[in-house]
Amino acid sequence: MTEPTTTPDATPGATVTADVPLVRARGLVKRFPITRGVVLQRAIGHVHALAGVDFDIYAGKTLGVVGESGCGKSTAARIVARLLEPTEGTIEFEGRDITTLSRRQMVPLRRTVQVVFQDPYASLNPRQSVGQIIAAPLRVHGVEGDRRKKVQELMAQVGLNPEHFNRYPHEFSGGQRQRIGIARALALEPKLIICDEPVSALDVSIQAQVLNLLGDLQRERGLAYMFISHDLGVVRHVSHRISVMYLGSIVENADRDALYDNPRHPYTVALISAAPTGERGARTRRLLLAGDVPSPAAPPPGCTFHPRCPKARLVSGDPAEVPERCRTERPVLTDVGEGHQVACWYPIEKGDAEKMMEIQASEITLEGDPELGVAQTEGLTDAQPRPDDLVDGGTGL
Amino acid sequence: MTSRRKTLALLGSVALVGAVGVAACGSDDKSSDTNGGDTATTAQGGGSGSETRFMSDDAKKGGTYRIATPDLGFTGGFDPSAEYLGWAWGLQQMLLNRGLVGYRHVGGTAGTEPMADLAEELPEGENDNTVWTFKIRKGVKWSPPLNREVTSKDIVYAFERMATPSVGAQYANYVQPIKGFKEMADGKAKTISGIETPDDHTITFTLTEPTPDFLFRLAMPATAPIPPEVGKCHTKAGEYGRYVLGTGPYMIKGADKLNISSCATQKPIAGFNPTDGITFVRNPNYDASLDDPEQRSAMPDSIDISVNTNEKDVFDKIQAGELEEAAGLSVPPDVARKYTTDDSLKDRFRSNPEDSTNYLTMNLTTPPFDDIHVRKAANFIVDKTALQRAWGGKLYGDVTGHTIPPVLLDGDNSIDPYATEGSAGDLAKAQEEMKQSAYDTDKDGMCDAGPCKGVLYLNRNYGAYAKLGPIVIDNFAKIGIQLDAKELPTGPAYETLQTVKNQVPLASNARWGKDYPDATTFAVLFDGRNIIPTGNTNYSLVGITPDQAKKLGVTLPKDGVPSVDADMDKCRKTGGEERIACWKEFDTKVMTEVVPWVPYMNALHTNLLGPAVTQWDFDQDSGESSLAHVAVDPGLQK
Amino acid sequence: MSSPREGHKLLEVRDLRVHFPTEDGVVKAVDGSSFALDRGETLGVVGESGSGKSITFLTVMGLINRSSARISGSVLFEGEEIIDASAARLRDIRGKRIGMIFQDPMTSLHPMHRVGDQIAEVVLTHTGASKKEAARLAVESLAEVGMPSPETRARQYPHEFSGGMRQRAMIAMALVLKPSLLIADEPTTALDVTIQAQILELIDELKEKFNIGVVLVSHSLATIADVSQDVMVMYAGRPAELGARDQVFQDAQHPYTWGLLESVPRPDVRVERLIPIDGQPPSLITLPPGCAFSPRCRHVRPECTAAVPELRDRGSGHLDACIIEPDEKTRLREERLAALEAGA
Amino acid sequence: MGRYIIRRLLWTVFIVLLASILTFLIFFVLPAGDPALRFAGKQPTEELIAQARVNLGLDKSLPQQYWLFLSRLIGGDEYGWPGLGYSFHTRDAVLPELIDRSRVTGSIIVGGALMWMVIGVPVGVISALKRKTFWDRGLMGICLFFISAPVFWLALLSLLIFWKHLGWLPGTGYVPFAQNPGQWFAHLILPWCILALLYAAIYARLVRANMIDVVSEDYIRTAWAKGLSPRKVVMHHELRPALAPIIALFAIDLGALVGGTIVTETVFNMQGLGNWLLIAANNNDLPVTMAVTVVVAAAVCILTLIADVLLAIIDPRVRLQ
């Protein structure tokens, strides 16, 4: 595996030149209307699932996307997989704008982008044998030839016993089912696989098996991954470049190690800090965020992170105050050197982390941010979908 | 005419099933829809009735006579001006209101003889049966709340109602010969010039044409007196039905509570409710001495008619003694079998001719039935016994070979030009006729020309009708006519048949019954002048003229269509025995020179009587139970 | 209720076995589990699905239907044997002396009752308090778990709460009567990373404040690492390793613990290739002979399958159920770490 | 809440209008026979048919006829409000008959519904709590029998036994409550039972299934963990979520029965709305068909509205929007 770079080298097996990304997403916006009424529906508001997102996915590389529930990571993935239409913005595939393509024109493109889902059992038809499941994309796309042989090859490739092609999903364990899902995704020899939390539902010891398999496949086939996860450890392990998302926006975009070694967005710092590491005394080094993620139906003005941002309080010098700019102006992703982009008016500097923790320590015990807790509820009283209900679960998939 | 809808999908959640029988007129079927097979018991009707009337020596006055019906089924809301249901006529004539002319209300020919009722005596028609003068009995009083004597003005008002379009009089055609009637109906006159009332007890009708059967027409309930002070408040079709007052032995329960001080104070009489039924109680103003005991014995103190939608339940209750009889229902074959085979029960099952004819109608203008030989061949080939079996067998009908029911021909049932062995059809005779037809090109007795294939055959899709279909199809196939059956619910079947431009070649969905005991009420079906574009009842288009054909878009066969208009006009002018003879001749001519139908059965009306019934008779006129002569023993009731 | 005598552990479980007879055979969900816990301590229990970690503590709570399970062994709670206690006795203990919170706060609160009422119900059930008093205690308890505006929150329904708030409400409910033991079954698994940290922090804080014993059940070693004093690693219904947190993390003795530690990608260290544990967890109906982990163990030897290995104390309370000698294990561990380093 | 109810009532009006328009169209589109022909008598003349059309209002264009229906409905007619005209079939005002028949149908449905809830819910709960025991299997077996037994047959059988053979109950028919409450009850008890048995069986199975789902919910485990008594867990925690979905169903079933107790009404000779609709449909009785349609549509809408409000009270997650 090569070292991750911003403009990746041409990897063996990749069909695109280094400069043109496989996928280039620009200004993606997705709003889900919140409707009332049975027959005559009228939108009474929107869930801002994506609020203008740019990213590139390069052939043979993995773009990791991390964030908490409601951050829009799954929406972005589904838009790339063409399972959802963006409200605004464009997606180019190998330099070609596919946002405007018709269903029919999309057919060949669909082969090149496949999805592996979180819950391996829910995404497999229990009445079909594994062979049928893996062969289904071949059938749908009219691939000729010895399908059974092809299926068995695929099964072997993902570490399943090819003899078991006649068995049904319930006869397999969780990890094996996820292997079936991967084999199915591989059947059409895609260029990009979107992995939506592919190991979250698996036991720890099995997670490693699947992650290793994904890594091996990438090396062998030059696959690109868009890897969605809430688990920073997993994302760090698989990704070349990582986008951190918060409330529908990318707040930080960086190469893997740059992100972990030198996070510049306060949210990224908090996220890394909060992740359990199993290290002794880790707790004392934690940066705890106050409150919860606000509702994407009523995102805060300015920087959406400002109500919870410890850095903003550091800047203002008052735990209860936030600089005006953070409250009013929305920061855009800005390059802070070597392709490291951050959307923050006051990016983290050396020593900030320790200082922030001091503020935090006093804040976390005083009942979080009272305004936040109640305000969020009020924003959601009228049966508006909760972020976790809607953005990642309510898209009809 | 009954229109029915068998099923109607209405809102997802409401499914309608089955069909409740509604009898619109005497012609409608109330026969069983199940095949009970033949039961070797003879019908009890046909006699004078008086011998069979008494079931018990001690028939006494008093008690409540209880009847159940699945649906009152009134066609005109029980308003006598409009009501056309035979059973309703019976109630009005026998119980509620006396007209100038009445009947004995017994079975057989004795029940078809006109009698003086409100009239002191029956007059002879004067001036070639165009002037009829009646003396009205004195002292006959309206029931409460009216309480006054009935006068000739009340009769005039009844006729004026019939000439008022909004009332919707359904058989005003029978009184149209009255001078000035049409003028009033058309709004050209305020009164009917042909009716004169020199005094309160005299009324004279002047007619525009000789009408020897005018007495029959004056027995129809619409011509009976109606009190203007109540009637004038209710001139919408059917509305007066809830306010009917009368002079008969009974009145509708609660009629005395009717507040007649003004139209606004009148509220429907409580004893009649289309949902629940109708109850008659004694009319305190009725004086039996002013009535003819032969016509009304009026034994029970009250007669209670209730609606019961569960047919099985009705017959269960009759057998259990909770009801005396049913109306609008034919006795189910299993019950009939039980009662006809058990000597102790035999007396409680009655079967009487209701003076109707079941037939297949052939369209004289559509191939292959535009050829008289084909029509004759059809009459030979049809297995009438099989059709009778479809209706339930001998208990439910007598096989016939002509159009007019025998009772109307003085009991004569001899006309049968196409008689076959056992009425089972005769292939040889049919083929003999077929050979003479142009549609049998190779003269082998089989219809083989193009029009013999796929001939539309219209039928109803339920009950006994549905059983007729296969028999008819099979019979016609024997002479090479291949039928294409179309089975519809009652309403659409009628509408299809009654729309001339549909040109239905063959149909078995219609029946016909008399309106009053005279053959003229059957002859109308062959009256070319009655042909109208929709609602037409001359299904065969007998006597259609080239002009009519052109207007209606009908192609006539090159020889035209035979007409019997002149024959019926001739008979209508005759009277007495001459009249009967004339109608026999007419019927014979229809069956031999026109052949519009294959008549196959005269239906019998079946009644099951409860154990408490001590006296019962059949009313030949209405073709229903004679409620004028029933009696009940309350001690036997449950 | 007898007051706990001095010298008693808060909770002492000995050779607990929970077997479920089914049509396919007997599921040995817990098959010989022994451990102990004191007030003011947190016991972290780690294991994969089917390791028996949840069943163990549902059994302690008396929440396993005795008609469907065969339960044996001993559960001493504050010195009282409760394994065969009557249903009424167990009800008395549940909620009052042992509080429990569950994995999914979204579904663990009754959706149709107000949060305050749900908490107050515990008070009403176990004490003679008035409704008003119970409501006051509920609000107090909510305040205790860092719920902003607790009075308002008490009147709200669970669906008006975020996931973190719901878990706080669950904790408030579990602790409203100040029990001596809190069992937290995967309390953070369903929560977002930043909220997980908040909740763990809160549990630790309350443990200190009320001097209670806490059992923290998790599938992730990392999760329990910073807040547990003792750690028990479970495999196939039995403890594989049990010891102080540092002992288990720094000086793991069981190959299964090694595998768990190595197979998890960590945000702070990156390796090229993870080292997974091969194979699948065993069926609980037909456990492998001897050591249940042996089929997946890289260091398996014939003796492993001979007999079910006993938990053995390796000194200073660090127990493990692997028959390999400590010295040998030190060597193997070093080899593995070297391989891991090489991959990084 | 108030605004919601008003909005829903407006919606109800809309649905009622829609249903009436549909019924109206079906009536004229289906080849069911021209009502005017029927009223022109047995031997119609063209004049008579034309007159019948005028009398029935059928001479006007369809939109005009519908408009007439609507304006009468809203403005009332000589028979009162709402104006429903008079029946083509009985020539009688529809409104008073509607009221009479509504009492009959109402008596059947309300009694039957009470009965099926009182039987169905406990049976379902007991079955769920005693799952896989003799009780559960026995009760569910009985339920299955009543679900699959034809109502018509059950009704006839019950009459045969309780009226004909045992003589414990009066036979068919309806006695108004005002006339004789005892007889009213005696006549209704069988129809109630027959109606209730089927629904009780269906509801018992539903309640059982819901209960079984609820019992395995996490929040029930929480309830046990709180140390609640079994009684309290069932009554206070399990029953409400198990019954909440039944309420919506109950409302729809009840609404559908307003025009749908045809079999029960026919067999027990109860002159209710279902029977009336059947007769009306058989006789091309447009005004009655329209009236029953309006009542059924309104009943379904209003009952579901009540159910939704109830549901919102029971389940705070449900918002009335």
Side-chain angles (χ1 to χ4, degrees), chain B residues 409-454:
Chain B
L409 300 179
D410 210 13
D412 183 5
N413 201 18
S414 63
I415 305 167
D416 197 359
Y418 310 102
T420 61
E421 183 73 33
S423 299
D426 187 322
L427 182 60
K429 286 180 181 169
Q431 289 191 330
E432 210 48 55
E433 276 297 335
M434 184 53 85
K435 280 176 194 166
Q436 298 171 50
S437 151
Y439 292 105
D440 180 5
T441 51
D442 57 4
K443 303 299 168 202
D444 63 347
M446 296 291 278
C447 194
D448 51 25
C452 304
K453 303 283 170 281

Side-chain angles (χ1 to χ4, degrees), chain C residues 39-109:
Chain C
R39 271 183 182 262
E41 272 183 15
T42 300
L43 171 66
V45 180
V46 181
E48 298 179 85
S49 45
S51 63
K53 57 188 191 302
S54 289
I55 300 286
T56 301
F57 293 97
L58 288 173
T59 310
V60 169
M61 284 290 277
L63 289 178
I64 297 294
N65 187 350
R66 287 192 199 174
S67 63
S68 64
R70 290 203 295 264
I71 301 172
S72 67
S74 160
V75 175
L76 288 169
F77 175 68
E78 294 185 331
E80 180 186 353
E81 178 58 73
I82 58 171
I83 192 143
D84 48 7
S86 69
R89 178 79 193 118
L90 283 171
R91 278 206 298 278
D92 206 33
I93 292 171
R94 283 202 294 267
K96 185 175 183 188
R97 292 168 61 200
I98 308 178
M100 187 161 186
I101 62 174
F102 300 99
Q103 170 170 353
D104 194 345
M106 298 291 169
T107 57
S108 292
L109 285 164

Side-chain angles (χ1 to χ4, degrees), chain A residues 69 203 236-237 286 289 292, chain C residues 49 162 192 198 226 267 270:
Chain A
S69 46
D203 264 325
R236 176 169 200 188
H237 177 75
R286 257 188 205 159
L289 284 179
D292 292 315
Chain C
S49 45
S162 68
D192 275 324
Q198 291 176 2
D226 4 328
R270 209 195 102 81

Side-chain angles (χ1 to χ4, degrees), chain B residues 361-560:
Chain B
T361 176
M362 297 173 283
N363 191 326
L364 270 48
T365 67
T366 55
F369 300 114
D370 54 356
D371 186 326
I372 191 168
H373 298 294
V374 175
R375 303 201 290 271
K376 286 183 176 174
N379 268 284
F380 276 124
I381 198 65
V382 168
D383 181 350
K384 294 177 181 178
T385 308
L387 297 179
Q388 180 194 38
R389 256 199 311 277
W391 282 101
K394 287 176 179 167
L395 285 180
Y396 298 89
D398 299 325
V399 168
T400 190
H402 58 114
T403 63
I404 300 170
V407 171
L408 307 188
L409 300 179
D410 210 13
D412 183 5
N413 201 18
S414 63
I415 305 167
D416 197 359
Y418 310 102
T420 61
E421 183 73 33
S423 299
D426 187 322
L427 182 60
K429 286 180 181 169
Q431 289 191 330
E432 210 48 55
E433 276 297 335
M434 184 53 85
K435 280 176 194 166
Q436 298 171 50
S437 151
Y439 292 105
D440 180 5
T441 51
D442 57 4
K443 303 299 168 202
D444 63 347
M446 296 291 278
C447 194
D448 51 25
C452 304
K453 303 283 170 281
V455 179
L456 178 68
Y457 160 51
L458 182 69
N459 193 13
R460 291 191 217 181
N461 61 1
Y462 80 103
Y465 286 102
K467 292 182 189 160
L468 303 178
I471 302 168
V472 172
I473 291 168
D474 177 61
N475 287 172
F476 276 75
K478 289 181 186 163
I479 50 172
I481 298 175
Q482 183 208 324
L483 297 179
D484 179 9
K486 183 172 185 177
E487 300 195 326
L488 294 175
T490 306
Y494 264 120
E495 198 176 355
T496 307
L497 183 59
Q498 292 183 344
T499 303
V500 170
K501 69 171 185 329
N502 286 340
Q503 292 272 66
V504 177
L506 181 70
S508 62
N509 64 310
R511 300 172 63 198
W512 194 257
K514 69 173 190 298
D515 282 347
Y516 54 85
D518 188 81
T520 187
T521 63
F522 269 77
V524 289
L525 297 177
F526 311 118
D527 191 333
R529 297 153 296 194
N530 278 357
I531 296 170
I532 52 174
T534 57
N536 176 45
T537 50
N538 183 347
Y539 309 126
S540 302
L541 302 179
V542 180
I544 189 171
T545 62
D547 276 355
Q548 282 175 315
K550 204 170 155 196
K551 224 165 52 192
L552 295 166
V554 172
T555 324
L556 285 188
K558 60 178 189 301
D559 303 333

Side-chain angles (χ1 to χ4, degrees), chain D residues 258-320:
Chain D
V258 169
T261 53
I262 296 174
V263 172
T264 312
E265 286 178 14
T266 306
V267 173
F268 290 103
N269 182 31
M270 301 254 169
Q271 307 314 316
L273 294 173
N275 224 322
W276 201 26
L277 189 57
L278 183 69
I279 296 169
N282 281 332
N283 290 291
N284 292 359
D285 196 344
L286 179 65
V288 170
T289 311
M290 295 291 274
V292 179
T293 305
V294 165
V295 168
V296 173
V300 171
C301 286
I302 289 170
L303 283 167
T304 45
L305 168 60
I306 293 171
D308 287 350
V309 171
L310 266 180
L311 205 60
I313 292 169
I314 288 181
D315 189 343
R317 289 170 298 179
V318 175
R319 294 283 163 174
L320 300 177

Side-chain angles (χ1 to χ4, degrees), chain A residues 174-193:
Chain A
Q176 287 172 319
R177 285 178 201 148
Q178 198 55 293
R179 287 173 194 267
I180 297 169
I182 293 169
R184 177 174 60 181
L186 287 175
L188 291 168
E189 294 169 16
K191 291 175 180 166
L192 170 64
I193 293 183

